[in-house]
Amino acid sequence: MRWLPIRLLVLTPIRYRRMPCPLDVPSIGLQRGLPLVVLENVQVRVDAELWLNPDKAPRDEADNHRKYAEMFLRRLGQQKLFRPAYFGLETFPARLSAATGAEQPVPIDLEWGPMPGDAFGEPLLEGVMRGGVVQYTSPFR
């Protein structure tokens, strides 16, 4: 199972901070001590859809979607996740909670270019935020 992000809503104004890189990550070109620009106090809502591998869950698809979604929400409420959540690097942990649906994005427009980030080398972010909303692309769609 995978959660495929559809859109990301930025809920708080964006604040940046410079800091030395806390670790070496040669695969993405980061070296310990080099300057790094990070976001501070980030609050976002991620809208996503559940994708089940048909080879692993071939039975009634609707039933499996409901079962896995309920399992995820139950574990999220107990903070018992499969692996810890983080923003970009494991050094920057994230705290997850279920969205209420009433969250509204802050009206921010930005462009930054494509951001690679999945195992297939496909860009996940189109590099454009309009009205505080970033639309995702995915090789699974």
Side-chain angles (χ1 to χ4, degrees):
M1 103 176 218
R2 285 181 83 148
W3 286 99
L4 301 176
I6 299 169
R7 73 187 64 78
L8 181 139
L9 286 72
V10 177
L11 305 177
T12 55
I14 296 176
R15 294 189 350 214
Y16 302 96
R17 179 170 54 103
R18 286 188 173 275
M19 64 178 284
C21 184
L23 66 163
D24 289 328
V25 187
S27 63
I28 57 174
L30 294 178
Q31 294 179 357
R32 184 182 303 275
L34 290 180
L36 193 62
V37 177
V38 297
L39 301 175
E40 280 191 318
N41 300 322
V42 178
Q43 288 187 9
V44 297
R45 183 182 93 193
V46 178
D47 294 340
E49 62 186 33
L50 181 60
W51 179 84
L52 298 176
N53 183 336
D55 297 334
K56 306 286 183 189
R59 292 171 293 165
D60 176 19
E61 189 173 314
D63 181 51
N64 280 332
H65 275 82
R66 185 179 68 250
K67 176 178 78 174
Y68 283 106
E70 288 172 356
M71 179 178 62
F72 172 78
L73 290 173
R74 186 173 53 253
R75 288 182 179 175
L76 178 64
Q78 298 169 352
Q79 291 297 303
K80 293 183 178 179
L81 304 174
F82 179 67
R83 57 174 70 108
Y86 56 88
F87 278 115
L89 298 171
E90 292 179 11
T91 308
F92 304 109
R95 189 177 46 215
L96 302 179
S97 61
T100 65
E103 299 87 0
Q104 294 296 316
V106 289
I108 302 170
D109 292 339
L110 290 172
E111 294 186 23
W112 61 84
M115 293 179 68
D118 72 358
F120 304 99
E122 295 286 328
L124 287 177
L125 296 176
E126 295 176 358
V128 177
M129 180 189 307
R130 295 286 177 246
V133 178
V134 178
Q135 295 291 327
Y136 279 77
T137 59
S138 170
F140 291 99
R141 286 194 185 88

